[in-house]
Amino acid sequence: MRIYCEKDYDAMSRRAASVIAGEVIHNPACLLGLATGSTPEGAYKYLVDWYKQGLISFKDVLSVNLDEYVGLAPSHDQSYRYFMQSNLFDHVDIDPANTRVPDGLTRDAAAFCADYDAYIRGCGYVDLQLLGIGRNGHIGFNEPGDHFVRETHVVDLTESTIDANARFFASRNDVPKQAISMGMGAIMGAKRILLCASGEDKADAICRSVSGPITPGCPGSILQLHPNVVLVADEAALSKLTASGFKV
Ligand code: GLP
């Protein structure tokens, strides 16, 4: 695992954006695995900026998103489709037909999930998968449990994730209780993974994911088995790892 330790959120965002831009420049028709949440927002701002400066183009890029809340329409301002449109897709030259976000309103989740995985497999898997991490170590919406789930699936969100995401909704009751998430098969099948983290509240999840036991109790720990992971984090998010003596 290559680790970039950056000073703060802005430096973390710029570094993460440069890794994504590098992929797009190197492989203009790549399949990007994209993530939502507050962590990648800054990186998306840099990418939009660099697109506007003519430095990068998303004309031939394909994308698949990690997850979506069950029950939220794409027009809902907390849906992950809405997030992607407003933070990236609406501001760059990506072809809307080439962007995929799980459908939170699907009536046949099993068929939808199977199709989502088939699409990713058919593309030869993701070239670069962007990941944030939950405070409990979740990646995508793969919550801690007693086993890793391979396929795209419907997840019951944990109370801690509902608490963490309540800040985006009018009230905690408005946070959806389920989501559709890519499973570990698609995530681990990616040729390269870019894990991003910022802030002290991620320090424990990062420490456990990078140097703890590999266990479904901390879903991010599975990344230790992937041969090509880049971790871009700020000093606060790396603080517990560095305090434990891990060299970054
Ligand atoms: C959310 C998303 C994840 C994200 C994580 C951290 O619930 N499903 O994809 O990485 O939690 O979010 P944030 O970046 O806002 O801290």
Side-chain angles (χ1 to χ4, degrees):
M1 185 180 295
R2 172 172 307 192
I3 302 178
Y4 288 98
C5 176
E6 304 295 343
K7 190 164 54 68
D8 54 19
Y9 178 78
D10 183 57
M12 183 278 296
S13 300
R14 192 180 166 88
R15 176 74 70 188
S18 71
V19 174
I20 300 167
E23 180 70 37
V24 169
I25 290 166
H26 176 71
N27 182 6
C30 61
L31 175 61
L32 291 180
L34 297 176
T36 53
S38 44
T39 306
E41 270 181 46
Y44 291 148
K45 282 200 178 80
Y46 273 107
L47 291 174
V48 169
D49 200 35
W50 296 342
Y51 164 72
K52 287 185 174 158
Q53 290 179 48
L55 299 174
I56 50 172
S57 167
F58 294 82
K59 189 168 64 68
D60 297 318
V61 166
L62 307 172
S63 73
V64 281
N65 261 76
L66 279 168
D67 46 17
E68 178 61 283
Y69 288 115
V70 167
L72 295 196
S75 57
H76 189 291
D77 68 1
Q78 289 308 323
S79 76
Y80 287 169
R81 166 55 79 175
Y82 187 95
F83 175 101
M84 289 311 303
Q85 292 300 139
S86 49
N87 282 279
L88 183 67
F89 298 156
D90 287 347
H91 310 291
V92 298
D93 59 348
I94 197 164
D95 180 345
N98 288 341
T99 68
R100 283 176 173 70
V101 179
D103 177 4
L105 297 182
T106 181
R107 283 164 181 263
D108 186 347
F112 178 84
C113 291
D115 286 352
Y116 208 71
D117 283 333
Y119 175 75
I120 293 168
R121 256 194 325 273
C123 291
Y125 287 91
V126 166
D127 290 294
L128 177 67
Q129 177 65 57
L130 174 60
L131 293 177
I133 191 160
R135 292 180 208 164
N136 62 3
H138 74 243
I139 52 177
F141 266 132
N142 292 275
E143 295 279 30
D146 57 12
H147 63 287
F148 293 114
V149 180
R150 189 197 340 225
E151 291 82 16
T152 296
H153 58 293
V154 175
V155 190
D156 293 324
L157 301 181
T158 62
E159 294 299 316
S160 91
T161 297
I162 292 169
D163 285 342
N165 290 359
R167 67 190 193 278
F168 298 115
F169 291 82
S171 83
R172 191 183 186 280
N173 275 343
D174 294 330
V175 184
K177 305 290 179 282
Q178 289 187 311
I180 295 176
S181 180
M182 259 162 67
M184 293 305 193
I187 292 172
M188 292 296 282
K191 297 179 187 86
R192 196 154 58 112
I193 291 176
L194 169 59
L195 173 63
C196 297
S198 169
E200 208 177 337
D201 61 340
K202 300 295 174 67
D204 189 53
I206 286 296
C207 186
R208 292 168 65 210
S209 296
V210 174
S211 69
I214 298 166
T215 163
C218 178
S221 65
I222 199 173
L223 300 175
Q224 293 177 45
L225 297 176
H226 193 285
N228 202 351
V229 177
V230 182
L231 166 59
V232 177
D234 60 18
E235 289 169 4
L238 289 170
S239 57
K240 197 160 176 192
L241 191 63
T242 47
S244 75
F246 194 94
K247 291 274 167 281
V248 302

